[in-house]
Amino acid sequence: MSDHEKQFFPKVFVGSRKSGKTTALLQRAEETKIPILTHDENMKSYLKSEAKRRGHENVKVLTVNDLHKDGRRKPEKVIVDEAQLMLERLLGTRMDCFSATSYDIVTSDTLDFQGGDDGQPSNAPLLVIEVQDMESVPVVRYKGETLTGKVQVGYEWETKGCDDLGKHSLSLEYFDQDQQSVKCIKFRRFPCDEN
């Protein structure tokens, strides 16, 4: 596939909550003047206030309802915020998983921003697990945020050699009150496979 053909597929920002996705979308909307499309009026208000707080003067935010208003000319392109919520709203059902074709995937560990979506510095450890005793529920902090509603916590590390980086395997499942569903954060790094 040529670079010309690849440009017809959207850039995809992937990351967990507070990983900088919203910050990156607002910055892109400011730079490109492409409006952000979000699923409801609450999120529209939030994005507009965040844009103002960050000094973005040229960010326009629309909802799906705004697109369908009589006489409104639809923009040529939109930046979609939280594609999962958008699709679920349009489909009227929950999604188990989805695929997307993109040749420009930006993950949370490569997002170019200063601080998380809340504007706080992102210099906190990636993962902290504290266990008071074998009868207690572990306290888990991921990217500086304490994880509530934990369902499953799994972490494994194995050395490749005395002085080499090892295997990291992380699996965190938690109940998200906002979306009323179980979410999962997974990360695996196998340096043995890189050679």
Side-chain angles (χ1 to χ4, degrees), residues 9 17 37 51 54 76-77 81 107 116 133 171 180 190:
F9 293 95
R17 290 185 68 226
L37 182 65
R54 294 175 184 279
E76 185 179 323
K77 279 186 173 183
D81 180 49
T107 58
D133 56 50
S171 175
Q180 292 293 300
F190 297 101

Side-chain angles (χ1 to χ4, degrees), residues 10-184:
K11 178 183 284 239
V12 177
F13 295 93
V14 180
S16 59
R17 290 185 68 226
K18 299 202 179 259
S19 63
K21 299 186 312 295
T22 300
T23 303
L25 290 182
L26 289 169
Q27 186 173 335
R28 183 159 176 83
E30 174 75 12
E31 292 167 356
T32 63
K33 311 295 185 278
I34 297 172
I36 296 176
L37 182 65
T38 191
H39 62 285
D40 65 19
E41 288 293 332
N42 289 336
M43 199 61 191
K44 178 180 177 178
S45 296
Y46 169 75
L47 289 170
K48 287 173 81 172
S49 67
E50 274 299 291
K52 185 176 181 180
R53 186 174 76 84
R54 294 175 184 279
H56 298 311
E57 303 291 329
N58 300 305
V59 173
K60 185 173 184 181
V61 184
L62 304 170
T63 65
V64 175
N65 290 339
D66 292 333
L67 285 183
H68 297 297
K69 285 185 179 171
D70 290 337
R72 174 167 239 151
R73 187 171 156 239
K74 289 185 182 175
E76 185 179 323
K77 279 186 173 183
V78 292
I79 294 170
V80 177
D81 180 49
E82 295 295 352
Q84 173 197 347
L85 296 175
M86 179 74 68
L87 281 171
E88 287 178 351
R89 183 173 181 93
L90 291 171
L91 297 172
T93 187
R94 303 296 303 257
M95 293 190 317
D96 176 69
C97 61
F98 65 92
S99 67
T101 301
S102 177
Y103 295 90
D104 193 356
I105 297 173
V106 182
T107 58
S108 60
D109 57 340
T110 59
L111 285 170
D112 182 21
F113 71 101
Q114 298 297 315
D117 286 346
D118 58 1
Q120 298 301 313
S122 55
N123 58 358
L126 175 67
L127 177 68
V128 176
I129 302 174
E130 295 177 0
V131 180
Q132 188 68 34
D133 56 50
M134 295 312 282
E135 306 299 318
S136 64
V137 175
V139 175
V140 178
R141 284 187 293 283
Y142 181 71
K143 293 188 176 180
E145 183 179 343
T146 301
L147 209 60
T148 58
K150 293 174 292 296
V151 175
Q152 182 268 339
V153 176
Y155 178 75
E156 180 183 0
W157 179 83
E158 182 180 313
T159 185
K160 182 181 173 188
C162 291
D163 298 317
D164 295 322
L165 292 173
K167 174 182 83 171
H168 286 271
S169 180
L170 168 66
S171 175
L172 303 172
E173 290 183 19
Y174 63 98
F175 186 77
D176 187 319
Q177 287 285 357
D178 295 337
Q179 297 183 22
Q180 292 293 300
S181 64
V182 175
K183 302 291 184 180
C184 187

